[in-house]
Amino acid sequence: MSENYCFGVDVGGTTIKLAVLSTKGDILKKWEIPTNKSEQGRYIPQDIHKTIDSAQTELALHKSNVLGIGVGAPGFVDTKTGYIYEAVNIGWKNFDFGKQLANLSGYPVWVDNDANLAALGENWLGAGGGVENLIAVTLGTGVGGGIIANGKIISGANGMAAEIGHMTVIRSGGAACNCGKSGCLETETSATGIVRKAKEVLSEYPSSSLNSFTSITAKDVFQAAADHDEAASKVIASVIDTLGLTIANLAIAINPNKIVIGGGVSKAGVQLLQPLKEAFRTYALTRTAEACTFEIAELGNDAGVIGGAYLVKENL
Amino acid sequence: MSENYCFGVDVGGTTIKLAVLSTKGDILKKWEIPTNKSEQGRYIPQDIHKTIDSAQTELALHKSNVLGIGVGAPGFVDTKTGYIYEAVNIGWKNFDFGKQLANLSGYPVWVDNDANLAALGENWLGAGGGVENLIAVTLGTGVGGGIIANGKIISGANGMAAEIGHMTVIRSGGAACNCGKSGCLETETSATGIVRKAKEVLSEYPSSSLNSFTSITAKDVFQAAADHDEAASKVIASVIDTLGLTIANLAIAINPNKIVIGGGVSKAGVQLLQPLKEAFRTYALTRTAEACTFEIAELGNDAGVIGGAYLVKENL
């Protein structure tokens, strides 16, 4: 029997990442093209079609061995039809992306939120290891998430599931969030949130090493905390406690086998993970905590395209 | 083609409820037997087998038309095998309940947590209306939950999913919970929690009508709040805000089509539901809130046996 292949696509604000994988999980090719955002991104379906067509020719893949295309988009997606309600970074609004790409390519197309596909990718070929129940948390400029339950990604009633960055963690008086609410997980534990929190406390700590920085990054705050800077330590402890509490609450709902932490902030590694596990155990039920392990994401920027390919495989 | 039937069983601390339903959802018979808790509940599998056997004879059901038995248990269950890790109210501990009942009856047996089955039941024949994504919240002596995603109940890695009563809602200084933690949703929003919170504030409100009660119930607190008692109003407002926040955070993760509120406290009806929806909208993302409606549970104590029958239907 000849091998079958799936295309995975991850549409970002600057580049579109692509990969073609065998259903066994071998990556045949991985590449990217620039995101053409002109005219509200209307040329993106044909850009994707063309580059996939070229790759197929280059790799001499027979059309009958290509099972379809799985696409991650940074926004609100109707996963049943691939219709994009809104993807602000791309310019899409009420755009029948999935249908257009299917018509152009002749392949079945599945579309989901990019964070959800990253979770699927990590579970297929990365830190998840193919578990039935997984929570993926991406700590970057914002905070994203993906939840797998009963072996399937949760997309929800209108593609909004796992928007965990917008769980409210400060009931009143929290910082304003881009979503229009305040006190969201994202405002407290993203890289941006860590920097804001550090800046907020610095005036109370005139001797903090962070005062000498002209521009502070989350990495700087972690480094200063590692060097026992009091202000930085206080901020990192607060961030990790909030994160542990929120992940514990999520885990009480989902009862995952694995919790995978990714994104730029996860590069803090054990400095993040060790106290995070402790905070998690404080707030989780014992049996819930016993059932799961914490892992740092392994696939980096490839998680999305790998998850896209998996979405095809899973739906066939 | 002749109709097929499923038995649903709901094992409680005092009675075992049973029902036999057609796969179309018609209830043929509904009854209960006392729970024999002697010798750590070891006789329960044969009690269930005997009463199901009698019902089958009485209803003249042909064995080949009975698809199986679905059982809800109040405790920690391995849903794959029907093994009970622990069900404190029954006396079971490390008990191979599912296997025993399957051997005795000759039917396939599925077991899940009772709150999960109540959610399945409500979604099949009650307030859920067969949606793909549902959150059920039971506000009684404790707070229980059931979550349906992608049309399936979430049981999780070790049967602990949807234990939402133990999500932490007060980070520090909250009341002690039976689970060993503190500040759980259950300590703040169960009937028991409502009474405790009322008692805590009464000394500050000497003119409160609740001071004249020798024993206060949650219903009394709701009634006093409806009569504009200041202490009771304050307690109910705080309970509903906490509940709205927690359900919003859950909904941000699950993105349900419906949120079904059941249990004794739900009898407060619109006095609960109307401000709960407002609190929910404060803390939920707009698109998440738009996707879902709130409903009061419809099946009462029958939800569990109906969900048990559905579990059989779903697994075949």
Side-chain angles (χ1 to χ4, degrees):
Chain A
M1 201 181 98
S2 62
E3 184 54 283
N4 288 320
Y5 301 95
C6 309
F7 281 92
V9 183
D10 187 3
V11 181
T14 312
T15 61
I16 299 171
K17 295 184 177 61
L18 300 104
V20 52
L21 280 84
S22 75
T23 53
K24 287 175 190 151
D26 299 313
I27 300 177
L28 268 67
K29 182 182 161 74
K30 205 176 75 183
W31 75 106
E32 58 185 60
I33 60 172
T35 306
N36 179 357
K37 294 196 280 189
S38 63
E39 297 182 45
Q40 290 81 51
R42 65 181 291 189
Y43 301 111
I44 292 174
Q46 64 196 60
D47 288 354
I48 293 174
H49 161 58
K50 278 186 204 155
T51 192
I52 279 181
D53 202 49
S54 303
Q56 195 185 308
T57 307
E58 178 197 327
L59 296 165
L61 300 180
H62 197 282
K63 200 157 171 121
S64 65
N65 296 121
V66 175
L67 300 179
I69 308 172
V71 188
F76 305 136
V77 180
D78 180 340
T79 55
K80 288 195 179 64
T81 61
Y83 188 86
I84 313 281
Y85 297 113
E86 189 160 24
V88 176
N89 292 345
I90 313 295
W92 289 339
K93 188 154 187 169
N94 300 323
F95 187 59
D96 61 345
F97 169 79
K99 196 172 158 193
Q100 286 193 31
L101 182 58
N103 286 344
L104 287 165
S105 67
Y107 293 124
V109 170
W110 288 270
V111 188
D112 207 327
N113 175 275
D114 54 356
N116 289 350
L117 292 198
L120 273 185
E122 281 291 344
N123 200 30
W124 187 25
L125 300 182
V131 296
E132 286 288 296
N133 308 281
L134 177 142
I135 297 173
V137 181
T138 306
L139 304 168
T141 320
V143 173
I147 299 173
I148 295 170
N150 293 320
K152 297 263 180 192
I153 199 79
I154 296 188
S155 298
N158 62 347
M160 289 291 287
E163 289 282 345
I164 63 174
H166 302 289
M167 291 170 77
T168 301
V169 295
I170 295 185
R171 198 186 287 228
S172 64
C177 183
N178 291 330
C179 75
K181 300 194 300 149
S182 64
C184 292
L185 182 66
E186 179 162 304
T187 66
E188 290 296 304
T189 66
S190 65
T192 326
I194 292 169
V195 171
R196 180 187 52 74
K197 288 173 74 73
K199 286 180 178 165
E200 277 170 10
V201 299
L202 275 186
S203 62
E204 298 164 41
Y205 296 89
S207 66
S208 168
S209 63
L210 292 171
N211 282 302
S212 64
F213 286 72
T214 46
S215 155
I216 302 173
T217 66
K219 193 180 169 186
D220 297 332
V221 185
F222 271 100
Q223 185 56 55
D227 297 339
H228 309 292
D229 181 277
E230 199 184 343
S233 299
K234 190 182 160 182
V235 168
I236 295 300
S238 149
V239 165
I240 289 177
D241 191 67
T242 297
L243 202 54
L245 167 65
T246 312
I247 295 176
N249 280 348
L250 267 175
I252 284 170
I254 305 298
N255 186 203
N257 307 80
K258 287 209 179 168
I259 295 165
V260 177
I261 312 289
V265 174
S266 74
K267 290 183 182 151
V270 72
Q271 192 192 351
L272 169 70
L273 218 51
Q274 200 265 334
L276 180 59
K277 286 184 199 173
E278 278 173 36
F280 176 80
R281 280 194 295 263
T282 304
Y283 299 115
L285 289 163
T286 306
R287 288 181 50 79
T288 309
E290 281 168 1
C292 70
T293 57
F294 275 78
E295 314 284 342
I296 296 286
E298 292 172 2
L299 303 179
N301 289 332
D302 294 344
V305 291
I306 292 171
Y310 186 82
L311 190 65
V312 176
K313 175 181 151 91
E314 169 187 76
N315 276 289
L316 283 173
Chain B
M1 200 182 99
S2 62
E3 183 55 284
N4 288 321
Y5 302 94
C6 310
F7 281 92
V9 183
D10 186 3
V11 181
T14 312
T15 62
I16 298 171
K17 296 184 177 61
L18 302 104
V20 53
L21 280 85
S22 74
T23 52
K24 288 174 189 150
D26 300 313
I27 300 178
L28 267 69
K29 180 180 163 76
K30 204 176 75 182
W31 75 105
E32 58 185 60
I33 61 172
T35 306
N36 180 357
K37 293 197 279 190
S38 62
E39 297 180 46
Q40 290 82 50
R42 64 180 292 186
Y43 301 110
I44 293 174
Q46 65 195 60
D47 288 354
I48 294 173
H49 162 58
K50 278 187 204 157
T51 193
I52 279 182
D53 201 50
S54 302
Q56 196 185 307
T57 306
E58 179 196 326
L59 297 166
L61 300 180
H62 197 282
K63 201 160 170 116
S64 65
N65 296 120
V66 174
L67 301 180
I69 308 172
V71 188
F76 305 136
V77 180
D78 179 340
T79 56
K80 289 196 178 64
T81 61
Y83 188 86
I84 314 279
Y85 296 113
E86 188 160 25
V88 177
N89 291 345
I90 313 297
W92 290 338
K93 187 155 186 168
N94 299 324
F95 187 59
D96 61 345
F97 169 79
K99 197 173 157 192
Q100 285 194 32
L101 183 57
N103 286 344
L104 286 164
S105 68
Y107 293 125
V109 171
W110 288 271
V111 188
D112 206 327
N113 174 276
D114 54 356
N116 289 351
L117 291 198
L120 273 184
E122 282 291 343
N123 200 30
W124 186 25
L125 301 182
V131 295
E132 287 287 297
N133 307 282
L134 177 141
I135 296 172
V137 181
T138 306
L139 303 168
T141 321
V143 172
I147 299 174
I148 295 170
N150 293 321
K152 298 263 180 190
I153 199 79
I154 296 188
S155 299
N158 62 347
M160 289 291 287
E163 289 284 343
I164 63 173
H166 302 291
M167 290 170 78
T168 302
V169 295
I170 295 184
R171 199 186 286 227
S172 65
C177 182
N178 291 330
C179 75
K181 299 194 299 149
S182 64
C184 291
L185 182 67
E186 180 162 302
T187 66
E188 290 296 304
T189 67
S190 65
T192 326
I194 292 169
V195 170
R196 179 186 52 74
K197 286 171 75 74
K199 286 179 178 166
E200 278 170 9
V201 300
L202 275 185
S203 62
E204 299 164 40
Y205 296 90
S207 65
S208 168
S209 63
L210 292 173
N211 282 302
S212 64
F213 286 70
T214 47
S215 155
I216 302 173
T217 66
K219 192 179 170 186
D220 298 331
V221 185
F222 271 101
Q223 186 55 55
D227 297 339
H228 308 292
D229 181 275
E230 198 183 344
S233 299
K234 190 182 158 182
V235 168
I236 295 300
S238 149
V239 164
I240 290 177
D241 191 67
T242 296
L243 202 54
L245 168 64
T246 312
I247 296 176
N249 280 348
L250 266 176
I252 284 170
I254 304 299
N255 186 204
N257 308 81
K258 289 210 177 166
I259 294 165
V260 177
I261 311 288
V265 174
S266 75
K267 291 184 181 150
V270 72
Q271 191 191 353
L272 169 70
L273 219 50
Q274 200 265 333
L276 180 59
K277 285 184 200 174
E278 280 173 34
F280 176 80
R281 280 194 295 263
T282 304
Y283 299 114
L285 288 163
T286 306
R287 286 181 51 80
T288 309
E290 281 169 1
C292 71
T293 58
F294 275 78
E295 315 283 342
I296 296 286
E298 292 172 1
L299 302 179
N301 290 331
D302 294 345
V305 291
I306 292 170
Y310 186 82
L311 190 65
V312 175
K313 174 181 152 91
E314 170 187 75
N315 275 290
L316 284 173

